[in-house]
């Protein structure tokens, strides 16, 4: 009898949660779909440069070493854009205006890239896309956290699923327009199709090592159709800024300096009641829609110098250690994406170039599937438990890859599991940290910036280590990064406990102070 009652209660709770999530989504569906589409645009940009870089080298008639400057320009400006994106979030109007401008700029730059005939022009174009991507990254994450707050984990998982989907589709769209041989026709012999495929996969690391024996012409007739790939991508991306503009029109947002509150933001709190079956129970769903007076203001005020002395050390610790966890997890994603091919074609693995080329796609596909699978898990399991499970899974997978370093079969299996485990760390960490800090907004900006920094710096570090000590050090670096990230996460849990104790003591002191004053 007790078991039946327990099952009935569990089913009722799950039904309540499902209806609650659906009600929240219906309240904010246009905002949510707009931010999701922005992240799809982010994913398209993220993966397009790698496959097209050799054709862009032909177009600009640059050297192989020189063309890698565009990788650095995009990656560095993505980090800068993530940092400054928080300042564009000072109001809801500014957030939407920045998002519309960033997504539109990406389409314009994609359309402009085919006419970039020299390396500096191409580097500037890629730097602009990097800035736009960084702004999209910060604003989309921050706005979804502000809208859904304690329920944001589910919607953040979907958000990051779209970046994986965009990164997965982008190379497939570009592939028919890529040159099979050297696209600058010189007097010497041209490189074969297999050699060009090998170089494309090798350049996914965004760093050039041991390629001096490859001959690429810088003068001669340019034969490439890569322009069509960028024009198609510009058209695919164009509905995204249109969707943002439609949302701005619906919310009556004109400029960042608008004094008037948007139509749907007149109330600080939007209350919605869901009636349960049989009319016996009700569930109040409270969702804070874009509280201009508290949310965005706190996002800026929480970092003001005048308030720093009032904040406990645990406040800073949560930002620092939360950011460092994402620094290492995103660093693993960047370095694995960049160097798994280099590792696979080198001894002792010695995989054929074509077979090894699938590893990056398998990794991104696993990340996309992992984020999709994490959507139903996110509202049944707390973010802290998902984080613990996934980080342990990352370490175990990398450890097994180190032990079975000669098994090509397990390299593919391990790549799948690594992608599945690491996929939801980013969105779960954002939701977990913001929940501790009452959704002030500062944490999202700091964490997104740290993630971008980790992806950029750790990729450089791993490339240098591989160049000095060989391909086996690639997995060893990943194992070290995973252990360091997990250790910092344990420290973050300790700091969270300290912060909870501080807040409990602060709340206990307030009634006493009020009693004394009366």
């Amino acid at each position: 009898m007790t078991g039946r009652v327990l099952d009935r209660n569990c089913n009722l709770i799950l039904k309540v949660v499902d209806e609650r999530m659906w009600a929240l989504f219906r309240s904010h569906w246009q905002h949510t779909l707009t931010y999701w589409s922005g992240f799809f645009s982010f994913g398209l940009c993220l993966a397009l440069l790698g496959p097209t870089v050799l054709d862009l080298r032909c177009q600009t008639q640059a050297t192989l070493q020189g063309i890698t400057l565009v990788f650095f320009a995009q990656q560095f400006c993505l980090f800068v854009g993530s940092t400054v994106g928080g300042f564009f979030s000072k109001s809801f109007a500014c957030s939407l205006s920045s998002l519309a401008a960033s997504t539109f700029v990406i389409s314009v730059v994609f359309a402009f890239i085919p006419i970039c005939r020299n390396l500096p022009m191409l580097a500037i174009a890629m730097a602009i896309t990097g800035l736009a991507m960084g702004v999209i990254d910060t604003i989309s994450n921050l706005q979804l956290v502000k809208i859904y707050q304690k329920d944001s984990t589910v919607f953040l998982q979907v958000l990051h699923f779209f970046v994986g989907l965009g990164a997965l589709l982008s190379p497939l769209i570009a592939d028919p327009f890529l040159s099979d041989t050297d696209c600058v026709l010189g007097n010497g012999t041209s490189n074969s199709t297999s050699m060009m495929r090998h170089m494309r996969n090798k350049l996914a690391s965004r760093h050039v090592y041991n390629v001096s024996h490859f001959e690429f012409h810088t003068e001669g007739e340019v034969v490439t159709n890569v322009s069509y790939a960028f024009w198609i991508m510009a058209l695919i991306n164009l509905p995204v800024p249109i969707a943002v503009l439609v949302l701005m029109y619906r919310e009556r947002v004109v400029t960042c300096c608008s004094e008037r509150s948007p139509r749907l933001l007149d109330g600080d709190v939007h209350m919605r009641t869901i009636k349960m079956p049989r009319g016996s129970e009700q569930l109040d769903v409270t969702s804070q829609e874009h509280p201009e007076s508290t949310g965005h203001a706190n996002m800026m005020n929480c970092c003001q110098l005048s308030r720093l002395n009032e904040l406990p050390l645990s406040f800073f610790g949560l930002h620092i250690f939360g950011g460092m966890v994402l620094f290492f997890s995103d660093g693993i994603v960047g370095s694995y994406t960049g160097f798994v091919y280099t590792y696979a074609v080198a001894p002792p693995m010695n995989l054929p170039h074509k077979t090894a080329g699938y590893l990056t796609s398998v990794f991104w596909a696993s990340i996309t599937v992992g984020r999709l699978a994490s959507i139903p898990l996110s509202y049944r399991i707390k973010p802290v438990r998902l984080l613990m499970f996934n980080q342990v899974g990352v370490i175990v997978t990398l450890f097994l890859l180190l032990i079975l370093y000669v098994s090509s079969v397990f390299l593919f299996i391990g790549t799948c599991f690594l992608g599945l485990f690491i996929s939801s760390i980013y969105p779960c960490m954002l939701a977990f940290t913001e929940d501790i800090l009452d959704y002030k907004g500062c944490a999202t900006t700091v964490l997104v910036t740290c993630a971008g920094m980790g992806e950029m710096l750790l990729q450089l570090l791993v490339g240098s280590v591989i160049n000095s000590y060989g391909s086996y050090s690639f997995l060893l670096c990943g194992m070290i990064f995973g252990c360091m990230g997990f250790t910092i996460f344990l420290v973050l849990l300790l700091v969270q406990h300290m912060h909870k104790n501080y807040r409990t003591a602060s709340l206990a002191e307030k009634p006493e102070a009020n009693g004394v004053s009366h």
Side-chain angles (χ1 to χ4, degrees):
M1 184 69 179
T2 306
R4 290 180 181 177
V5 173
L6 185 61
D7 289 341
R8 193 183 305 117
N9 289 336
C10 287
N11 291 332
L12 181 63
I13 291 170
L14 289 176
K15 190 170 184 179
V16 167
V17 170
D18 289 339
E19 293 191 10
R20 184 171 185 271
M21 288 294 180
W22 180 241
L24 285 171
F25 177 72
R26 281 184 300 176
S27 299
H28 311 283
W29 68 270
Q30 191 170 3
H31 300 78
T32 307
L33 291 178
T34 302
Y35 300 133
W36 287 350
S37 65
F39 243 54
F40 180 72
S41 172
F42 179 89
L44 290 176
C45 294
L46 192 65
L48 183 60
L49 184 56
T52 59
V53 68
L54 289 181
D55 289 81
L56 292 175
R57 185 206 70 82
C58 298
Q59 179 180 296
T60 57
Q61 295 186 306
T63 62
L64 195 58
Q65 285 75 13
I67 197 65
T68 55
L69 288 175
V70 301
F71 282 118
F72 176 78
Q74 187 186 58
Q75 197 72 28
F76 177 75
C77 289
L78 195 157
F79 163 67
V80 173
S82 300
T83 306
V84 302
F87 295 99
F88 290 126
S89 300
K90 64 181 180 181
S91 69
F92 180 59
C94 259
S95 296
L96 284 186
S97 300
S98 304
L99 191 63
S102 298
T103 51
F104 181 69
V105 160
I106 287 174
S107 283
V108 172
V109 172
F110 276 178
F112 174 75
I113 283 174
I115 65 174
C116 293
R117 297 300 175 185
N118 58 66
L119 191 59
M121 286 179 65
L122 182 63
I124 291 170
M126 286 301 176
I128 293 171
T129 61
L131 285 171
M133 289 164 64
V135 172
I136 292 170
D137 193 6
T138 300
I139 288 178
S140 298
N141 280 292
L142 184 58
Q143 289 301 321
L144 278 184
V145 167
K146 284 295 174 186
I147 291 173
Y148 293 105
Q149 299 200 354
K150 289 185 179 296
D151 300 291
S152 60
T153 311
V154 176
F155 300 95
L156 285 172
Q157 294 286 3
V158 182
L159 181 76
H160 288 267
F161 161 76
F162 276 103
V163 73
L165 183 63
L168 196 61
L169 293 178
S170 187
L172 298 177
I173 295 169
D175 187 66
F177 306 101
L178 302 179
S179 301
D180 291 330
T181 57
D182 194 350
C183 44
V184 176
L185 302 180
N187 295 326
T189 58
S190 62
N191 293 299
S192 65
T193 301
S194 60
M195 189 57 65
M196 291 293 289
R197 187 184 296 116
H198 170 61
M199 283 306 303
R200 288 189 202 283
N201 291 321
K202 198 172 182 65
L203 282 168
S205 65
R206 306 191 174 205
H207 308 286
V208 179
Y209 299 109
N210 301 323
V211 293
S212 57
H213 57 285
F214 295 110
E215 182 183 355
F216 288 94
H217 304 294
T218 57
E219 294 182 2
E221 182 184 356
V222 177
V223 182
T224 176
N225 294 318
V226 76
S227 302
Y228 295 106
F230 283 96
W231 287 332
I232 290 171
M233 297 297 286
L235 288 173
I236 292 174
N237 184 71
L238 198 56
V240 179
I242 294 173
V244 181
L245 290 173
V246 171
L247 179 60
M248 292 174 69
Y249 174 77
R250 183 171 180 261
E251 297 292 341
R252 299 175 185 171
V253 175
V254 181
T255 64
C256 285
C257 301
S258 176
E259 295 287 336
R260 187 178 174 186
S261 295
R263 179 171 56 83
L264 295 183
L265 309 182
D266 295 333
D268 284 346
V269 179
H270 177 73
M271 299 294 296
R272 182 176 294 268
T273 302
I274 302 174
K275 292 191 175 181
M276 295 302 297
R278 304 179 189 273
S280 57
E281 295 104 345
Q282 288 185 337
L283 174 68
D284 286 338
V285 179
T286 304
S287 176
Q288 194 167 348
E289 289 202 2
H290 297 275
E292 296 286 343
S293 60
T294 57
H296 291 290
N298 282 341
M299 200 278 300
M300 303 303 296
N301 292 337
C302 62
C303 299
Q304 286 182 355
L305 293 175
S306 59
R307 296 194 59 215
L308 292 182
N309 293 332
E310 304 171 11
L311 299 172
L313 289 175
S314 58
F315 174 85
F316 302 101
L318 289 169
H319 286 80
I320 293 169
F321 294 118
M324 290 304 293
V325 171
L326 287 190
F327 178 89
F328 285 109
S329 68
D330 248 43
I332 292 172
V333 172
S335 57
Y336 199 88
T337 302
F339 295 105
V340 67
Y341 174 83
T342 303
Y343 168 76
V345 297
M349 195 67 66
N350 289 322
L351 285 179
H353 295 163
K354 187 175 181 179
T355 304
Y358 292 124
L359 283 165
T360 304
S361 298
V362 168
F363 184 60
W364 270 113
S366 300
I367 288 176
T368 305
V369 171
R371 285 171 178 167
L372 189 63
S374 297
I375 294 169
L377 294 175
S378 296
Y379 62 82
R380 288 179 170 85
I381 304 173
K382 292 182 178 180
V384 64
R385 293 180 180 177
L386 281 174
L387 283 166
M388 183 74 72
F389 176 77
N390 286 329
Q391 293 203 80
V392 171
V394 168
I395 293 173
V396 170
T397 302
L398 288 169
F399 180 69
L400 291 175
L401 283 169
L402 270 173
I403 294 175
L404 304 172
Y405 65 95
V406 294
S407 172
S408 59
V409 174
F410 190 77
L411 178 61
F412 278 88
I413 296 172
T415 299
C416 288
F417 276 99
L418 182 62
L420 290 172
F421 284 125
I422 209 166
S423 61
S424 62
I425 291 179
Y426 196 140
C428 284
M429 181 56 68
L430 287 179
F432 173 65
T433 312
E434 283 288 2
D435 184 55
I436 301 169
L437 296 168
D438 293 330
Y439 305 95
K440 295 292 192 301
C442 270
T444 297
T445 305
V446 172
L447 264 59
V448 170
T449 303
C450 288
M453 188 188 302
E455 186 175 359
M456 180 177 66
L457 296 181
L458 293 188
Q459 214 176 117
L460 284 169
L461 177 62
V462 172
S464 301
V465 171
I466 289 175
N467 196 41
S468 301
Y469 299 101
S471 62
Y472 185 76
S473 58
F474 157 70
L475 289 177
L476 187 60
C477 286
M479 183 68 183
I480 293 170
F481 296 156
C483 291
M484 291 178 72
F486 183 65
T487 304
I488 292 170
F489 176 68
L490 296 178
V491 176
L492 177 65
L493 294 180
L494 178 62
V495 174
Q496 177 212 15
H497 181 70
M498 294 169 57
H499 192 69
K500 279 187 175 180
N501 291 340
Y502 168 81
R503 290 181 59 187
T504 303
S506 299
L507 291 172
E509 288 175 2
K510 285 182 180 179
E512 293 177 6
N514 292 334
V516 171
S517 62
H518 287 298

